[in-house]
Amino acid sequence: FREDWKWPGRYVEHLRSWERLFGRERLLVLSYDELLKDPKKVQWRVEEFLGGKFPGELSQLNTAGKKSVSISDSVKRSLGSKFASKNEE
């Protein structure tokens, strides 16, 4: 069992180091939630970022052989409050 999941900010730390290395203008940060909500918008953002169109459409879900897992509302609230400040960055 890993305890380090309790320390928020690892993802943000990685993004900041990539930003220092590559510059903000060379990074496109997307979220899976964004893909679920509006895959066409995500595809548009990727195309705008890369400067061209690509064939096909992004899919909302990758369900190949996977079972759906539900997360209780109490866990969502707990994690949401834990990571709220980092999600704002």
Side-chain angles (χ1 to χ4, degrees):
F1 181 72
R2 291 180 51 155
E3 291 289 327
D4 60 346
W5 69 270
K6 294 180 181 179
W7 300 103
R10 290 276 164 122
Y11 183 63
V12 171
E13 290 170 17
H14 288 295
L15 288 176
R16 285 182 180 147
S17 67
W18 296 336
E19 182 179 17
R20 283 191 299 274
L21 288 170
F22 304 111
R24 178 65 182 100
E25 69 281 354
R26 295 181 71 193
L27 295 175
L28 175 64
V29 180
L30 304 166
S31 74
Y32 186 64
D33 288 337
E34 187 178 8
L35 176 62
L36 290 177
K37 182 178 177 183
D38 193 349
K40 289 184 181 193
K41 182 179 179 182
V42 171
Q43 182 165 343
W44 174 83
R45 287 187 62 205
V46 170
E47 291 172 341
E48 286 291 308
F49 182 76
L50 295 176
K53 299 271 186 194
F54 58 88
E57 293 182 1
L58 292 176
S59 173
Q60 287 180 302
L61 299 174
N62 180 6
T63 58
K66 296 181 181 180
K67 294 181 182 178
S68 177
V69 176
S70 63
I71 300 172
S72 71
D73 288 339
S74 63
V75 170
K76 288 179 186 177
R77 282 191 302 275
S78 175
L79 291 174
S81 64
K82 185 85 171 160
F83 291 95
S85 65
K86 296 298 179 182
N87 288 336
E88 295 297 319
E89 294 185 26

